[in-house]
Amino acid sequence: MLRLDQKIEEGLAAYRRSMRAGERDEARVAVGRIVERVPHQPEAGFSSAMAILREGGLDAGITVLRAVLAAAPENAGARLILARALIAEGQAEAGEAELRALADAELPLPAAVIELAGALNQRGAGAEAIEVLQQAVEKMPGETGLKINLGGLLASAKRLDKARRVLESAVAQAPEAPLAHYNLARVQRELGADEAAMWHFRQAVTLDPSLDQGWRNLGNALLDLGRVEEAFAAFHQGTLARRGLGSASSRDPQFFRTSASKLTHDIEQFRYLRQQGKLPEAFDETIAAYEQTLAELPAAESLSHIVDIPKHLLAALAPTYNRLSVCEPSPVRTPRAVNPRIDTASVAADYAQNAPGIAYVDDFLTQAALEELRRFCLESTVWFQYRYGNGYLGAFFDDGFASPLFYQISEELRTAMPEIFGSHTLRKLWAFKYDSRLSGIPMHADFAAVNVNFWITPDDSNLEPDSGGLEIWDKEAPADWDFSKYNTDEAAMRRFLSAQNARSVKIPYRCNRVVIFNSDLFHATGDLHFRPGYENRRVNITMLYGKRQNA
């Protein structure tokens, strides 16, 4: 006679066979057999439920877990797993009820309290989430995880002083907990305590080097302190943690969503890297998987339309998609990266004369620096951002676009033209790469004091030498407009410019031309007519200096 746990195992095996064969009715019968045995062997039933859930069987797993809890209602672990499964299946109210039962116990289950608070906060009940955590902390003051989460929610609610006290208690209690330092650092930065914030961010990433948001926030804290070179290093470490080959998988949609324009670029780049000998022959299989994915994308209104990567192809793309397959940072150039022959006094005079601040000059970089930047932008798989409606791709300072050469350029330029830059240090750095079939960036302004924009694609890639550059209007964005308004509300921008009788300056595209202008000025990419082909894609690099309120 078979032992009961063996019968449960047989039921689990039958369930798996039925699901593989697509026999849903037979699978339900198998689940029923498991449920019949659960009262006699709750632990084996729980193990079978976990196995079913791991294979994606939410309905069946929930059914078995309910049987387990009917037989062993004190099994807090089974109740927690049931709550998670219910929420995953879309039964949020039922899932929350299970979590609340665990949270309201005389001795609450900390993980359940944290998940209940998260679920409440997710649906907009932030005040209730805070109350749930506060009550649990009063019952279990030694549970650091509760304090870390409470501090985070208090910070989100802008109750910064209380958040600081809670998180300082968490750090004192568990100085080895990276998230305690991380959340405290965020609060300290909000409170303007930049040095303290930087110290706690450093502690967080020292304790957990894989904490990519810790590296990113450390970099931003360093920028606040004007320590730009150190920020470059922190951002680079964060990108390695987040996007290095073999780094932990992420639920960030960037890793499993795509567009035709994004895939087309990546295929072109991988082919280019194979030609340059930067990727092994085995990578041809990866390229073929990308090509198959592109071919199977559902019909879309535009090349930039974002969709999920088909599930049956995701596994083939996941190891490389939006990751650092190739990234060789550009080294510092000696003796200079910025062309020493530039008449900086003349540029500064042009900037002042063309109020409220516009100037441009050719032969911006030395030939060696230009070629090195060109190599970096062609070869480095750092073009992660594909959210833009016009299909261009972005690479950002805090997400892979942080080579030492950029820091050198930014500092040489700033120190060469103090009349323009004053005490403003680099705050943002990015690049955009364009599809020759699509248009560029629409009208907007940038949140900074001074904008530096330069181009590195060869001139013979541009089919219309009188266009392809930048159009800048000579009126500043109103001081009371927020970031969203002067970045996305193009109708409001055009009404404002019309009312102000603004004139635009059209600066044609030239390789190695730099345009320096007041960041409050509205600007847009000129009409694009570039040759097809990967090496002909227009690339512009933008550096933002200082803060808008300090301009």
Side-chain angles (χ1 to χ4, degrees):
M1 185 173 178
L2 292 174
R3 296 194 307 272
L4 290 176
D5 61 335
Q6 288 179 315
K7 290 183 178 181
I8 287 176
E9 288 176 5
E10 285 184 349
L12 178 60
Y15 168 80
R16 286 169 169 159
R17 286 195 301 271
S18 299
M19 290 300 290
R20 283 197 295 268
E23 298 169 345
R24 300 281 176 175
D25 291 340
E26 289 299 319
R28 278 191 288 272
V29 170
V31 169
R33 290 172 183 163
I34 296 171
V35 168
E36 287 176 3
R37 301 298 180 181
V38 166
H40 307 284
Q41 195 80 29
E43 290 184 5
F46 178 68
S47 296
S48 70
M50 292 296 291
I52 290 169
L53 290 172
R54 279 194 295 270
E55 295 171 11
L58 282 174
D59 285 343
I62 288 169
T63 299
V64 176
L65 284 170
R66 289 199 186 282
V68 169
L69 286 168
E74 75 287 350
N75 189 331
R79 194 170 298 280
L80 178 60
I81 299 301
L82 173 61
R84 291 171 177 167
L86 288 167
I87 291 171
E89 196 189 34
Q91 299 184 51
E93 189 173 340
E96 281 186 26
E98 298 293 344
L99 291 173
R100 199 175 291 279
L102 293 167
D104 289 343
E106 185 175 346
L107 190 64
L109 186 68
V113 175
I114 291 168
E115 292 194 33
L116 175 60
L120 291 168
N121 190 58
Q122 185 72 26
R123 63 174 172 84
E128 187 180 354
I130 289 172
E131 181 63 26
V132 164
L133 284 166
Q134 284 177 330
Q135 290 176 359
V137 167
E138 289 171 7
K139 291 181 180 179
M140 297 180 291
E143 285 290 338
T144 307
L146 294 173
K147 291 181 177 179
I148 292 171
N149 282 272
L150 174 58
L153 286 185
L154 288 166
S156 297
K158 299 302 179 184
R159 296 165 64 179
L160 297 177
D161 286 330
K162 185 165 185 178
R164 177 178 53 78
R165 291 193 297 272
V166 169
L167 290 165
E168 284 177 342
S169 172
V171 167
Q173 205 168 293
E176 75 290 349
L179 288 179
H181 288 281
Y182 174 73
N183 278 357
L184 178 55
R186 291 177 63 198
V187 171
Q188 296 284 29
R189 189 161 179 247
E190 284 271 337
L191 290 168
D194 292 333
E195 289 283 358
M198 182 193 67
W199 189 87
H200 283 288
F201 280 133
R202 282 202 189 280
Q203 289 298 107
V205 297
T206 299
L207 291 164
D208 182 5
S210 70
L211 190 61
D212 61 289
Q213 286 298 326
W215 288 110
R216 178 174 281 173
N217 280 279
L218 172 60
N220 287 325
L222 288 163
L223 288 178
D224 289 341
L225 295 167
R227 295 162 65 170
V228 180
E229 188 170 16
E230 293 175 70
F232 267 83
F235 288 146
H236 179 64
Q237 289 300 318
T239 305
L240 292 176
R242 182 167 51 259
R243 300 192 185 273
L245 296 182
S247 58
S249 60
S250 172
R251 285 185 281 182
D252 187 330
Q254 277 192 5
F255 290 100
F256 56 82
R257 307 208 77 200
T258 194
S259 68
S261 56
K262 165 66 173 168
L263 286 175
T264 299
H265 166 271
D266 288 1
I267 291 166
E268 289 180 3
Q269 185 175 40
F270 288 153
R271 285 174 175 163
Y272 175 82
L273 289 167
R274 282 284 294 120
Q275 292 170 358
Q276 301 299 310
K278 297 288 184 176
L279 289 173
E281 185 176 347
F283 212 88
D284 288 344
E285 294 181 10
T286 301
I287 295 173
Y290 276 68
E291 291 172 332
Q292 182 181 353
T293 304
L294 178 61
E296 292 192 21
L297 286 189
E301 297 175 3
S302 68
L303 294 172
S304 59
H305 183 69
I306 296 173
V307 297
D308 289 339
I309 295 172
K311 288 185 179 179
H312 66 286
L313 294 168
L314 184 57
L317 267 63
T320 57
Y321 184 71
N322 260 353
R323 294 190 178 273
L324 292 174
S325 298
V326 174
C327 184
E328 299 174 5
S330 299
V332 168
R333 306 300 308 184
T334 54
R336 294 280 299 275
V338 173
N339 186 352
R341 297 188 180 89
I342 291 176
D343 185 347
T344 56
S346 177
V347 176
D350 285 348
Y351 189 89
Q353 182 176 347
N354 296 316
I358 303 173
Y360 66 93
V361 67
D362 290 331
D363 299 321
F364 170 48
L365 302 174
T366 64
Q367 190 61 32
L370 175 64
E371 290 174 2
E372 179 57 35
L373 279 192
R374 174 98 171 124
R375 179 204 64 78
F376 178 81
C377 290
L378 283 169
E379 295 181 359
S380 298
T381 58
V382 296
W383 303 93
F384 303 128
Q385 298 294 339
Y386 53 90
R387 62 183 183 269
Y388 311 105
N390 292 350
Y392 52 87
L393 303 182
F396 286 80
F397 188 15
D398 59 356
D399 202 13
F401 204 69
S403 282
L405 181 56
F406 290 120
Y407 172 70
Q408 180 186 7
I409 292 167
S410 71
E411 285 297 293
E412 286 184 11
L413 184 61
R414 184 176 72 89
T415 56
M417 302 183 194
E419 305 93 336
I420 296 176
F421 294 94
S423 61
H424 299 309
T425 55
L426 185 70
R427 300 288 304 179
K428 299 287 183 182
L429 164 67
W430 65 71
F432 290 124
K433 189 186 287 188
Y434 301 82
D435 187 319
S436 61
R437 297 168 295 176
L438 303 172
S439 56
I441 303 173
M443 182 186 292
H444 67 287
D446 292 311
F447 199 83
V450 182
N451 187 312
V452 174
N453 196 302
F454 60 99
W455 305 305
I456 65 170
T457 304
D459 286 333
D460 61 10
S461 297
N462 183 13
L463 294 172
E464 293 192 13
D466 291 334
S467 68
L470 196 63
E471 185 172 7
I472 307 173
W473 284 262
D474 63 354
K475 299 298 180 183
E476 296 176 276
D480 60 346
W481 283 21
D482 61 16
F483 178 82
S484 176
K485 185 155 189 173
Y486 65 68
N487 256 266
T488 60
D489 193 344
E490 186 169 348
M493 297 179 219
R494 293 197 179 277
R495 285 195 300 269
F496 167 78
L497 292 173
S498 177
Q500 296 291 315
N501 295 315
R503 294 180 300 107
S504 71
V505 177
K506 293 184 178 181
I507 303 171
Y509 180 93
R510 294 291 183 274
C511 179
N512 208 16
R513 171 173 284 176
V514 63
V515 186
I516 304 171
F517 58 99
N518 180 333
S519 279
D520 259 348
L521 298 180
F522 293 111
H523 53 284
T525 305
D527 293 336
L528 300 183
H529 301 279
F530 278 61
R531 298 181 191 279
Y534 180 63
E535 294 180 71
N536 293 316
R537 286 176 177 261
R538 179 186 186 273
V539 175
N540 74 269
I541 297 169
T542 296
M543 294 176 171
L544 299 185
Y545 290 79
K547 296 182 178 180
R548 186 188 191 209
Q549 60 268 32
N550 298 332

